[in-house]
Amino acid sequence: MSDGLEALAETSTEPLRVGVLGARGRMGIEVCKAVDAADDLELVAMIDQGDWLFNASDAGAEVVVDFTTPDVVMDNLHWCVDQGISVVVGTSGFTEQRLERVRTWLSHKPGVGVVIAPNFGIGAVLMMQFAARAARYFESAEVIEQHHPKKLDAPSGTATHTARLIAQARAEAGLAGMPDATKDEVPGARGADIDGVRVHAVRATGLVAHQEVLFGTTGETLTIRHDSYDRASFMPGVLLAVRSVTRRPGLTIGLDALLD
Amino acid sequence: MSDGLEALAETSTEPLRVGVLGARGRMGIEVCKAVDAADDLELVAMIDQGDWLFNASDAGAEVVVDFTTPDVVMDNLHWCVDQGISVVVGTSGFTEQRLERVRTWLSHKPGVGVVIAPNFGIGAVLMMQFAARAARYFESAEVIEQHHPKKLDAPSGTATHTARLIAQARAEAGLAGMPDATKDEVPGARGADIDGVRVHAVRATGLVAHQEVLFGTTGETLTIRHDSYDRASFMPGVLLAVRSVTRRPGLTIGLDALLD
Amino acid sequence: MSDGLEALAETSTEPLRVGVLGARGRMGIEVCKAVDAADDLELVAMIDQGDWLFNASDAGAEVVVDFTTPDVVMDNLHWCVDQGISVVVGTSGFTEQRLERVRTWLSHKPGVGVVIAPNFGIGAVLMMQFAARAARYFESAEVIEQHHPKKLDAPSGTATHTARLIAQARAEAGLAGMPDATKDEVPGARGADIDGVRVHAVRATGLVAHQEVLFGTTGETLTIRHDSYDRASFMPGVLLAVRSVTRRPGLTIGLDALLD
Amino acid sequence: MSDGLEALAETSTEPLRVGVLGARGRMGIEVCKAVDAADDLELVAMIDQGDWLFNASDAGAEVVVDFTTPDVVMDNLHWCVDQGISVVVGTSGFTEQRLERVRTWLSHKPGVGVVIAPNFGIGAVLMMQFAARAARYFESAEVIEQHHPKKLDAPSGTATHTARLIAQARAEAGLAGMPDATKDEVPGARGADIDGVRVHAVRATGLVAHQEVLFGTTGETLTIRHDSYDRASFMPGVLLAVRSVTRRPGLTIGLDALLD
């Protein structure tokens, strides 16, 4: 299937050479498929536990994508930066201390770029950006997230984060509390209170991962909704990072920075 | 504006003669407008506080619509039934005792019909019927209602009623509890528990009165949504009752019975 | 995962013995998984091309599910009915002539039931039932279906069928044409006209199979929405048929009849 | 009711003095109500046909809101600018030639601001901004607008404008055409083609003015929806302009510029 985002790539004659670390993992498999399917990228190395990292440099990888584990990702990153290979990282566990070490490594390699993102879903990232931007213009804002019933936390991390962004934007704009005349409430009906923003968590078999942010002011509402159907939804974001990282020396945190 | 429901009327040459009690009230004004605009109905009497009820019989009203107050509605009803005039009642405050008295009056007047309905919104009534019917086929069901922020109760009466209908249908079908792995909940996130059905109440400026009932089972969801934008939304239901009441001798409670 | 619909089964001590024909096909694999996961059903035979049908009777199958092909399904059905085994059929290609032959076979086997359904999605079937039922009470009705962009036809078969059901219900209720003042239309903006009902087909990467039926009358709208996320969505309907078929001697066409 | 946007006002002791031209018109009445209800604004003059413009200056108006007609708006504007009064204009009919004349007048009055906006709905303006911004990251984009059936044009002007913004953003990002395998189409099913973006127009009694912009890429969709329920929905935008105009000397076109 043609990928509409390929067009974002620079019009170069040579495809970009990409290696994947954690290539046999859940996400790694998807990344290999997505890179392989993109005309402007060439999958040159698929590396997992027990394989040599040198396979990546031997294969001439210009960018490496790392979906491994917190205990190996720092070694992988150090090696790649040393070799002058740019890296896109989806592995979790990055503390401020770890980020500082990455910055130090990169300071010695001015041409190398590293993108570390906790969430490669472009739709989710845009939803949060738009929510933060709209928040200051509406009297009311609530978040309704909907997930499969096997989810352990309620509300979801994304919903909590969205609510905090909205609360912060409202505070900066000097907005007062939202109007709410509720006097007679069955406990829980009005949802969870996250920094003054009400968040509702719906759970139902059949659902995957969905979120709606509702803004209201006199006579109108604005709703931003994100529906995620499967793991493959992260791939456009990963490919966007792969295509951008060689043009962004130094450390970039979050997909937000690439969406401009 | 043409009213698609007019077509439900029998093809008679003479329009049905309709009087309105409480004609200067909020709802009464709307009823007068709606009756006046319908080709198969004729508005023959507009009566309010200080006017004689006899105006209705003098004008030859065959049906009277009553949107008055609990303290006068019983006298109005008694008088109409005595006169052989059928009545459509939207006034609230009907206890089982009151209903019993109406039945007694009607037992002496076999040709007269009375329709008493707490809610003339056809959409809301259908939503509840459909929800009750779908409930037995889905593992999960939740209710999300959305209203303007001046509303005092949460959840709304309609949402609570819908949840109870769902719970009852599930119990009759022998369904077990809904799957929900939530372990880590910010208080309120999962909504109010109404007979085992989760109900979420959203409040935002700009909203009017909206409700969504979400059903989920393996790989699919079914959603029934009702949006009410203004008071006029009750008129098609009132007109449906007006057109049906002369063909339904005795007491009919709720719009449900007319929707078959 | 527990299946809420299991509860519909009669409280018997012995699980129902089920065989699957076409067990290695796309749908057959899902059926085997679903039967296997249900506490009140036992998967006793998985049969595909090259296997003996007798495996089903030898294993004591009480119900057989057939997801094979139009060229073998009639032989399968004949054999099962002969053996006194009830059948649930998801295979396509049933002409009126074929159905007549099945009826003839069943007339000699009064205890055997056969359910043939073109669509086992409970949500889709309920959506159509509700749409047909709501249609007579609303001035306006439109259908918006949304699918992945690899779909060849627009609108979808389900959308076309829904529109026809709405048109038929409106005709029976004597409803006039829908109000529509459009004078200045960019070609196609108002959708396809299916028996007087406007149908809109949206195509976008990321979508699976979704449909919304919108009804409107004065001041309110009622929306029925179905979202199908994957093939597994047919399983609750298949299991419902499996559990019902032994109690329904003779031929039953469509899931509708089982949803009452 | 408190207006959340008031908080955007500078913390001044004195309320801003506002006059309204076209005060007895449909929109003017709403503006008067909204200004009157805002704590930080004072309604000092309500002027309509037959009244003297001097009433505004005599009353000490610092800002004038003009919702009049194309044939008088230029005279009003010229007079206000001359008097050193800033103006917010919702009247239509501004050609490039007219705008140029306004710029000339303003060049002689460096402290005066004029805001001219074709649409004061903050939600609609944000929807279009977000749509333009999201467009480059998604393979697919379609617009579905929903309006009352008395509307003459299909699709709406806002939908057409949104589609053009999306098409332009896609072109700038070098995106190819959207995937669409449709081979068998009932005419109109796929909507109107506006610069390569499909636009669907739904019409139903009960609806007011609604629009959904759907974006899709692998495994996910992002939807931006705007619902406008009544004319009052323009008031937060008008008040935002009133509060901003004295701090924005010269000519500002469109609400967009104020939303930053």
Side-chain angles (χ1 to χ4, degrees):
Chain A
M1 190 185 64
S2 104
D3 181 342
L5 292 169
E6 283 171 23
L8 292 172
E10 291 170 51
T11 47
S12 62
T13 39
E14 292 295 312
L16 192 65
R17 303 175 68 80
V18 181
V20 177
L21 305 187
R24 289 192 293 273
R26 213 161 50 87
M27 290 295 288
I29 289 169
E30 297 288 334
V31 174
C32 290
K33 275 199 260 176
V35 169
D36 197 48
D39 289 342
D40 62 328
L41 305 179
E42 188 176 347
L43 180 62
V44 297
M46 297 168 65
I47 295 170
D48 210 306
Q49 270 186 301
D51 300 328
W52 289 92
L53 284 176
F54 288 102
N55 292 348
S57 48
D58 287 354
E62 297 161 273
V63 176
V64 151
V65 181
D66 185 302
F67 275 95
T68 59
T69 56
D71 55 319
V72 301
V73 67
M74 290 302 281
D75 286 346
N76 293 346
L77 253 169
H78 198 173
W79 182 87
C80 288
V81 173
D82 252 12
Q83 298 286 326
I85 302 175
S86 291
V87 196
V88 171
V89 186
T91 308
S92 61
F94 278 84
T95 57
E96 188 45 49
Q97 198 185 5
R98 285 191 160 200
L99 294 173
E100 202 44 50
R101 278 166 64 199
V102 177
R103 279 190 200 97
T104 307
W105 297 336
L106 284 165
S107 64
H108 304 300
K109 291 283 185 177
V112 178
V114 170
V115 173
I116 299 177
N119 188 341
F120 278 101
I122 288 179
V125 170
L126 286 175
M127 174 180 61
M128 286 185 272
Q129 281 190 0
F130 294 165
R133 180 148 164 60
R136 62 183 301 155
Y137 302 112
F138 290 86
E139 272 190 29
S140 303
E142 304 213 354
V143 179
I144 304 130
E145 55 93 329
Q146 309 190 326
H147 284 85
H148 57 86
K150 296 186 176 170
K151 192 168 176 57
L152 300 177
D153 53 328
S156 70
T158 299
T160 302
H161 189 52
T162 307
R164 291 212 169 110
L165 290 173
I166 291 170
Q168 189 184 328
R170 288 177 65 94
E172 284 167 17
L175 290 187
M178 300 180 202
D180 183 356
T182 309
K183 284 215 170 121
D184 179 15
E185 182 191 0
V186 180
R190 292 285 292 115
D193 183 325
I194 305 285
D195 294 0
V197 178
R198 297 292 175 151
V199 181
H200 310 268
V202 175
R203 296 289 173 266
T205 305
L207 291 173
V208 186
H210 317 263
Q211 181 172 311
E212 227 173 78
V213 189
L214 174 75
F215 294 100
T217 187
T218 312
E220 64 170 345
T221 56
L222 180 70
T223 309
I224 303 165
R225 181 180 175 108
H226 181 242
D227 293 275
S228 179
Y229 299 110
D230 71 38
R231 192 170 298 143
S233 71
F234 297 117
M235 290 313 119
V238 171
L239 296 193
L240 175 66
V242 166
R243 288 168 181 135
S244 310
V245 68
T246 55
R247 277 170 285 151
R248 298 184 71 95
L251 179 60
T252 303
I253 298 169
L255 204 58
D256 283 68
L258 308 182
L259 296 179
D260 284 322
Chain B
M1 191 186 61
S2 105
D3 179 345
L5 292 169
E6 282 171 22
L8 291 173
E10 293 170 51
T11 48
S12 64
T13 39
E14 291 295 313
L16 192 66
R17 301 175 68 80
V18 182
V20 177
L21 305 187
R24 289 193 292 274
R26 215 162 48 89
M27 289 296 287
I29 289 169
E30 296 289 333
V31 175
C32 291
K33 275 198 259 175
V35 169
D36 198 48
D39 288 342
D40 62 328
L41 304 179
E42 189 177 346
L43 180 63
V44 298
M46 297 169 64
I47 296 170
D48 210 305
Q49 271 188 303
D51 301 329
W52 290 92
L53 284 176
F54 288 103
N55 292 348
S57 48
D58 288 355
E62 298 162 273
V63 176
V64 150
V65 180
D66 185 301
F67 274 96
T68 59
T69 55
D71 55 319
V72 301
V73 68
M74 289 303 281
D75 287 346
N76 293 347
L77 253 169
H78 199 175
W79 182 87
C80 288
V81 172
D82 253 11
Q83 299 286 325
I85 302 175
S86 291
V87 197
V88 171
V89 187
T91 309
S92 62
F94 278 84
T95 58
E96 189 44 49
Q97 199 186 4
R98 286 192 158 198
L99 294 173
E100 201 42 50
R101 278 166 66 199
V102 176
R103 279 192 200 96
T104 306
W105 298 336
L106 284 165
S107 65
H108 304 298
K109 292 284 184 175
V112 177
V114 170
V115 172
I116 299 177
N119 187 340
F120 279 102
I122 288 180
V125 170
L126 286 176
M127 173 180 61
M128 286 185 272
Q129 281 190 0
F130 294 165
R133 182 151 162 55
R136 61 183 302 154
Y137 302 112
F138 290 88
E139 274 191 27
S140 304
E142 305 213 354
V143 179
I144 305 129
E145 55 94 329
Q146 308 191 327
H147 285 85
H148 57 86
K150 294 185 177 171
K151 190 166 178 57
L152 299 178
D153 53 329
S156 70
T158 299
T160 301
H161 189 52
T162 306
R164 293 215 167 108
L165 291 172
I166 291 169
Q168 190 184 325
R170 289 177 64 93
E172 283 168 17
L175 290 187
M178 301 179 202
D180 183 356
T182 309
K183 283 213 170 124
D184 179 16
E185 182 191 0
V186 179
R190 290 286 292 113
D193 183 326
I194 306 284
D195 294 359
V197 178
R198 296 294 176 149
V199 181
H200 310 267
V202 175
R203 297 291 172 266
T205 305
L207 291 173
V208 187
H210 318 262
Q211 183 172 309
E212 225 173 79
V213 189
L214 174 75
F215 293 101
T217 187
T218 312
E220 63 171 345
T221 57
L222 180 71
T223 308
I224 304 164
R225 181 180 173 106
H226 180 242
D227 292 276
S228 179
Y229 299 111
D230 71 39
R231 194 169 295 143
S233 71
F234 296 118
M235 291 311 121
V238 171
L239 297 193
L240 175 65
V242 166
R243 288 167 181 135
S244 311
V245 69
T246 57
R247 278 169 284 152
R248 299 184 70 95
L251 179 60
T252 302
I253 299 169
L255 204 58
D256 282 68
L258 308 181
L259 295 179
D260 283 321
Chain C
M1 191 187 62
S2 104
D3 180 344
L5 293 169
E6 283 169 25
L8 291 173
E10 292 170 51
T11 49
S12 64
T13 38
E14 292 296 312
L16 192 66
R17 302 175 68 79
V18 182
V20 176
L21 305 187
R24 289 194 291 274
R26 214 160 50 88
M27 290 295 288
I29 289 169
E30 296 289 333
V31 174
C32 291
K33 276 198 259 177
V35 169
D36 197 48
D39 289 341
D40 63 328
L41 305 179
E42 189 177 345
L43 180 62
V44 298
M46 296 169 65
I47 296 169
D48 210 305
Q49 270 187 302
D51 301 328
W52 289 94
L53 284 176
F54 289 102
N55 292 349
S57 48
D58 288 354
E62 297 162 274
V63 176
V64 150
V65 181
D66 184 303
F67 275 96
T68 57
T69 54
D71 54 319
V72 301
V73 68
M74 290 302 281
D75 286 345
N76 293 347
L77 252 169
H78 198 175
W79 181 87
C80 288
V81 173
D82 252 11
Q83 298 286 326
I85 302 174
S86 290
V87 197
V88 171
V89 187
T91 308
S92 61
F94 278 84
T95 57
E96 190 44 50
Q97 198 185 4
R98 286 190 158 202
L99 295 173
E100 202 43 49
R101 277 166 66 199
V102 176
R103 278 191 200 97
T104 306
W105 299 335
L106 284 165
S107 65
H108 305 299
K109 291 283 185 177
V112 177
V114 169
V115 172
I116 299 177
N119 187 340
F120 279 100
I122 288 179
V125 170
L126 286 175
M127 174 180 61
M128 285 185 272
Q129 281 190 359
F130 294 166
R133 181 149 162 58
R136 61 183 301 155
Y137 302 112
F138 290 87
E139 274 190 27
S140 304
E142 305 212 354
V143 179
I144 304 129
E145 55 94 328
Q146 308 191 327
H147 284 85
H148 58 86
K150 294 184 177 171
K151 192 168 177 55
L152 299 178
D153 53 327
S156 70
T158 298
T160 301
H161 189 52
T162 307
R164 293 214 167 109
L165 290 172
I166 291 169
Q168 190 184 327
R170 289 178 64 94
E172 283 167 18
L175 291 186
M178 301 179 201
D180 183 357
T182 308
K183 284 214 171 124
D184 178 15
E185 183 191 359
V186 179
R190 290 285 294 113
D193 183 326
I194 306 284
D195 293 359
V197 179
R198 296 294 175 149
V199 181
H200 310 267
V202 175
R203 297 290 173 266
T205 305
L207 291 173
V208 187
H210 318 263
Q211 183 173 308
E212 228 174 78
V213 189
L214 174 76
F215 293 101
T217 186
T218 313
E220 64 173 342
T221 56
L222 180 71
T223 309
I224 304 165
R225 181 180 174 108
H226 180 244
D227 293 276
S228 179
Y229 299 112
D230 70 39
R231 194 170 296 144
S233 71
F234 296 116
M235 292 311 121
V238 170
L239 297 192
L240 175 66
V242 166
R243 287 168 182 136
S244 310
V245 69
T246 56
R247 279 170 284 152
R248 299 184 70 96
L251 179 61
T252 302
I253 298 169
L255 203 59
D256 283 68
L258 308 181
L259 295 179
D260 282 323
Chain D
M1 192 186 61
S2 104
D3 181 342
L5 292 169
E6 283 170 21
L8 291 173
E10 291 171 53
T11 47
S12 64
T13 38
E14 292 295 313
L16 192 66
R17 303 176 68 81
V18 180
V20 177
L21 306 187
R24 288 193 294 273
R26 216 161 48 88
M27 289 296 288
I29 289 169
E30 297 288 334
V31 174
C32 290
K33 277 198 258 177
V35 169
D36 198 48
D39 289 342
D40 62 326
L41 305 179
E42 189 177 346
L43 180 61
V44 298
M46 297 169 65
I47 296 169
D48 211 307
Q49 269 188 302
D51 301 328
W52 290 92
L53 284 175
F54 288 102
N55 292 349
S57 48
D58 288 354
E62 297 161 273
V63 176
V64 151
V65 181
D66 185 302
F67 275 95
T68 59
T69 55
D71 54 320
V72 301
V73 66
M74 291 302 282
D75 285 347
N76 293 347
L77 254 170
H78 198 174
W79 182 86
C80 288
V81 172
D82 252 12
Q83 298 285 325
I85 302 175
S86 291
V87 197
V88 171
V89 186
T91 308
S92 61
F94 278 84
T95 57
E96 188 45 48
Q97 197 185 5
R98 284 189 160 203
L99 294 173
E100 202 44 49
R101 277 165 66 199
V102 176
R103 279 189 200 98
T104 306
W105 297 336
L106 284 164
S107 65
H108 304 300
K109 292 283 182 173
V112 177
V114 170
V115 172
I116 299 177
N119 188 341
F120 278 101
I122 287 180
V125 170
L126 285 175
M127 174 179 61
M128 286 185 272
Q129 281 190 359
F130 294 166
R133 181 149 162 57
R136 61 183 301 156
Y137 301 113
F138 290 88
E139 274 190 28
S140 303
E142 304 212 355
V143 179
I144 305 131
E145 54 94 328
Q146 309 190 326
H147 284 84
H148 58 84
K150 296 185 177 170
K151 191 167 177 58
L152 300 178
D153 53 329
S156 70
T158 299
T160 301
H161 189 52
T162 306
R164 293 214 167 108
L165 290 172
I166 292 169
Q168 188 184 328
R170 289 178 64 94
E172 283 167 17
L175 291 186
M178 301 181 201
D180 183 356
T182 309
K183 285 215 170 122
D184 179 16
E185 182 192 0
V186 179
R190 292 285 292 114
D193 182 327
I194 305 285
D195 294 0
V197 178
R198 296 292 175 153
V199 181
H200 311 268
V202 176
R203 297 291 173 264
T205 305
L207 291 172
V208 186
H210 317 262
Q211 183 173 310
E212 228 173 77
V213 189
L214 174 76
F215 293 100
T217 186
T218 313
E220 64 171 344
T221 56
L222 179 71
T223 308
I224 303 164
R225 181 180 173 107
H226 180 243
D227 293 275
S228 179
Y229 299 110
D230 71 38
R231 193 169 296 143
S233 71
F234 296 117
M235 290 312 122
V238 171
L239 297 193
L240 175 66
V242 166
R243 287 168 181 135
S244 310
V245 68
T246 56
R247 279 170 285 150
R248 298 184 70 95
L251 178 61
T252 302
I253 298 169
L255 204 58
D256 282 68
L258 308 181
L259 296 179
D260 283 321

